[in-house]
Amino acid sequence: MGRRPAQPLPQLLLFAEPLQRAGLTSWLEAAPSSGDPTAWGGCRVVDSDALQGAPQLVIWCLGAPPEPPALDAESRRLLERWHPAPLLLLLPDHHPYASPFLLQLPAQGLIEQADPDSLREAVTTLLAGGRVLAIGAARQAAATGPAVPMGLGQWLLLSGLQQIDAELRLCLRLLDPPPAQLLPLLLLEGRVRELRLARQLLLWIWGPVSLAWSQPPVTDPLAKEPFAPTAAGLPAPGPGHGVAITLRQRTAEGLWEALRERLRESAAAASTNNSGQLLALDGLHDSRRSDLLLGLLEQFDRLRRRLLQDDPRGEQLERLWRELQPELRQQALRHMAGSYVQLPMDGKLCPVAETLLHRSALAADDQELPDPLAMLTPLLQARPLLVDGRLLAPDEPQAVLYLELLLSNWLVRSAELISAEVLAACAEWPELRRYLLRPELLATRNLERLRNQLNAQQRWTSWFDRPIHLYESRRPLFRLGAGAIDCVDLTEPRDAELRQLGWVQQAVTLALEARDALAPQLQSFLKRLGDLLVVVLTQVLGKAIGLVGRGIVQGMGRSLNRS
């Protein structure tokens, strides 16, 4: 038998400076490894003069980074010139581009400060039809437009917040570690409470109402780090965190595999609550919390496969999704508790999973969950989705991050509902606390305090926070980040939900509307009142005091002349 002809190496078109070209060529043209069948198989790197036929991949290594509009335009020209070859951009370590701009580039691959292994893996993925995105921490883009002058209210708000935050940082530094004497400790804690209330009052007067009850943006261990959404509503990567996305296939299955891998890593490491809210999920033991999130992710995978077989569409898909939610939560609870674990209760052994399922009500609907079709249709049918007013393919980086945000929110909110039922069951089953809860909640007083705080927070959120969110068209979403759970706000119309509020919640929205309507008139009245006081003090009282003083001086002069 004759030998089979060797497969030709893929041809890569490289645009780079001479020194960079030599290094990248040595990386990419390395000899294939015969020991590992999955190892790098080599390729042929050429320039435009030595190109034979069409390239399989275009690589552009940026030496001197151009301006953002020029980079976007040149990337589109390269894609159009060498279509259908994908484009891989290699960015230097210190580049001036912000993460939101990089996410909007049309390139199929984007790597910052590549090394040999990451470059070869990215080339392999792109040649197989996938996508690669690996950028570092988010950068602040330099403002190119003229500075907008601030009004009196903005100046008072910013200057007041800066003074309050500076004083608050000083007090928090003095409290870390806390002073040994009781009197300085009480004084510092009282000063911290006073400063935070002053900040809330300042924001209530000069800023939006929702900001008055948010966490202060202070970089200290006791305050939560706020997450600033973009103007269009889609949150950008958090400060200090990069983005790494690898799609092996640009299909619904490849998209789900990439999202599941990212969410599995985040769920296993989500041990800190940075959402600014009290969560029932915090009461579970760290291992049980991870088991619950991973169990929900596994049940979502099974539900997705079932929906792929049934292939429902539109309203039928949404109805089937809602009908299967109780069963999905029950299976996730069974996965967390263990199917064969038994604990003593009233003198006899009882199965933990079955007892929890019998005592839990898992059929409730969470009103803060967004429309499930926005999350399901891209994962089932690879349909485009609307992100920031643009219709994007589901394999676009912005679409992938948006889907990850929706899935994270569903995971955390479903886990929160299950955790609340677990806390209620542990209140009646003391032996269960050692198995499921944190050690601090073994005491009945601590557990009941946590449950009461959760109930009070739920009532406050239902009566006040939710009407404010609806009126301001904001939807709070939980996100599984790097070892923490944080909360972001997504801007979207919620008029239909606003019309369904009760009379108590509608009174809150009417108060907000009255505040917005009366605030300009009140500010104008206070300004005119201030002008009037200035006139009275300078023109009337000032002149009167001057005349009185002049008369006193003249009288004293006459008396001195007589003497």
Side-chain angles (χ1 to χ4, degrees):
M1 297 177 61
R3 291 185 177 180
R4 299 178 59 183
Q7 295 292 334
L9 294 177
Q11 188 173 217
L12 309 185
L13 179 58
L14 176 61
F15 295 97
E17 296 180 355
L19 291 178
Q20 294 175 335
R21 172 184 293 277
L24 295 174
T25 302
S26 64
W27 290 354
L28 295 173
E29 291 186 344
S33 174
S34 58
D36 186 4
T38 62
W40 170 248
C43 63
R44 179 170 174 263
V45 181
V46 298
D47 55 12
S48 57
D49 296 332
L51 183 64
Q52 299 178 0
Q56 281 73 43
L57 177 63
V58 179
I59 303 178
W60 182 16
C61 181
L62 300 182
E67 293 295 326
L71 176 60
D72 182 76
E74 187 62 29
S75 301
R76 297 183 186 277
R77 281 195 290 268
L78 287 174
L79 286 172
E80 183 179 358
R81 169 66 180 86
W82 302 107
H83 180 78
L87 174 63
L88 173 61
L89 292 180
L90 303 180
L91 301 176
D93 183 20
H94 300 287
H95 59 80
Y97 309 120
S99 294
F101 167 73
L102 295 177
L103 295 176
Q104 296 178 1
L105 288 176
Q108 288 82 3
L110 186 64
I111 303 180
E112 178 181 337
Q113 199 179 9
D115 53 32
D117 294 334
S118 63
L119 179 60
R120 294 167 183 169
E121 183 180 357
V123 169
T124 303
T125 302
L126 291 173
L127 291 176
R131 295 192 69 134
V132 175
L133 176 67
I135 57 178
R139 292 174 170 82
Q140 297 293 334
T144 57
V148 180
M150 290 191 302
L152 176 62
Q154 293 177 341
W155 180 81
L156 290 175
L157 176 63
L158 292 178
S159 60
L161 289 178
Q162 290 173 358
Q163 296 175 13
I164 292 175
D165 290 344
E167 186 70 17
L168 191 56
R169 290 190 187 95
L170 176 60
C171 294
L172 290 172
R173 281 198 297 268
L174 295 176
L175 284 171
D176 187 21
Q181 299 180 359
L182 180 60
L183 182 59
L185 177 63
L186 295 178
L187 290 176
L188 287 174
E189 290 179 347
R191 181 59 175 167
V192 168
R193 289 193 298 268
E194 178 186 1
L195 290 171
R196 287 177 174 169
L197 288 177
R199 179 182 181 275
Q200 294 176 0
L201 179 62
L202 190 62
L203 284 171
W204 187 82
I205 295 175
W206 295 108
V209 174
S210 61
L211 292 179
W213 314 111
S214 61
Q215 294 292 335
V218 180
T219 55
D220 61 270
L222 301 179
K224 308 299 181 183
E225 182 180 7
F227 189 88
T230 60
L234 178 64
H241 299 93
V243 181
I245 301 173
T246 301
L247 296 180
R248 303 297 179 186
Q249 300 175 356
R250 300 172 66 179
T251 60
E253 188 66 29
L255 176 63
W256 166 242
E257 290 297 331
L259 288 173
R260 183 173 63 174
E261 185 63 27
R262 289 172 59 86
L263 290 173
R264 182 184 289 116
E265 295 176 358
S266 300
S271 59
T272 307
N273 178 16
N274 289 344
S275 64
Q277 304 178 23
L278 185 64
L279 299 179
L281 198 61
D282 294 336
L284 299 182
H285 194 273
D286 292 344
S287 59
R288 300 291 174 255
R289 179 166 58 244
S290 299
D291 291 342
L292 179 57
L293 292 173
L294 293 174
L296 284 169
L297 189 61
E298 180 182 353
Q299 294 304 318
F300 184 89
D301 182 40
R302 295 180 180 179
L303 178 58
R304 178 182 172 274
R305 292 198 298 265
R306 177 176 175 179
L307 293 177
L308 283 175
Q309 295 177 356
D310 298 340
D311 195 21
R313 301 296 176 97
E315 295 181 358
Q316 183 183 3
L317 174 60
E318 183 178 358
R319 178 176 54 81
L320 187 59
W321 164 264
R322 297 187 185 279
E323 290 177 356
L324 294 176
Q325 289 301 296
E327 180 183 353
L328 186 148
R329 294 165 184 165
Q330 291 175 3
Q331 296 300 324
L333 178 58
R334 189 188 303 273
H335 177 272
M336 179 196 68
S339 302
Y340 304 103
V341 178
Q342 295 183 352
L343 291 177
M345 182 176 64
D346 297 334
K348 59 180 180 180
L349 292 177
C350 296
V352 174
E354 297 300 329
T355 306
L356 287 177
L357 291 176
H358 179 71
R359 295 188 175 190
S360 302
L362 302 176
D365 290 334
D366 192 342
Q367 298 178 343
E368 289 298 323
L369 282 173
D371 184 11
L373 294 181
M375 175 179 63
L376 294 176
T377 51
L379 296 175
L380 296 176
Q381 304 158 13
R383 288 188 178 181
L385 67 161
L386 191 65
V387 181
D388 290 353
R390 297 188 304 155
L391 199 61
L392 299 178
D395 62 309
E396 293 287 339
Q398 284 184 302
V400 174
L401 294 178
Y402 182 71
L403 286 174
E404 183 182 5
L405 177 62
L406 295 181
L407 282 169
S408 300
N409 179 67
W410 175 81
L411 284 175
V412 175
R413 290 193 177 277
S414 300
E416 182 70 7
L417 190 148
I418 297 173
S419 302
E421 298 296 331
V422 170
L423 291 180
C426 289
E428 302 176 359
W429 192 354
E431 291 82 1
L432 192 61
R433 301 175 191 174
R434 294 183 181 274
Y435 178 60
L436 295 179
L437 303 186
R438 291 185 295 132
E440 307 89 77
L441 297 180
L442 294 179
T444 304
R445 179 180 180 182
N446 295 339
L447 178 59
E448 293 301 326
R449 182 192 296 118
L450 175 62
R451 295 183 61 204
N452 292 333
Q453 291 175 350
L454 288 171
N455 293 333
Q457 178 183 265
Q458 182 181 4
R459 286 191 293 268
W460 179 269
T461 302
S462 175
W463 291 347
F464 299 100
D465 288 346
R466 187 166 184 269
I468 294 175
H469 293 160
L470 294 178
Y471 187 68
E472 296 180 350
S473 299
R474 293 188 295 112
R475 185 184 295 276
L477 300 179
F478 291 103
R479 187 184 64 170
L480 290 173
I485 299 174
D486 55 13
C487 188
V488 303
D489 284 338
L490 187 67
T491 303
E492 63 177 10
R494 306 184 67 180
D495 297 348
E497 300 175 71
L498 187 61
R499 290 190 290 267
Q500 298 175 0
L501 292 177
W503 64 272
V504 176
Q505 292 88 348
Q506 289 182 358
V508 175
T509 60
L510 289 176
L512 291 177
E513 187 175 0
R515 174 188 177 273
D516 295 338
L518 296 178
Q521 287 81 1
L522 182 59
Q523 290 180 357
S524 177
F525 172 74
L526 292 178
K527 181 180 178 181
R528 294 179 180 178
L529 181 60
D531 296 340
L532 178 62
L533 291 177
V534 170
V535 172
V536 171
L537 291 176
T538 57
Q539 301 297 328
V540 180
L541 293 181
K543 290 184 177 181
I545 294 174
L547 292 175
V548 172
R550 186 182 302 174
I552 294 175
V553 171
Q554 291 178 356
M556 293 176 62
R558 293 194 187 99
S559 62
L560 290 175
N561 291 333
R562 290 196 196 97
S563 62

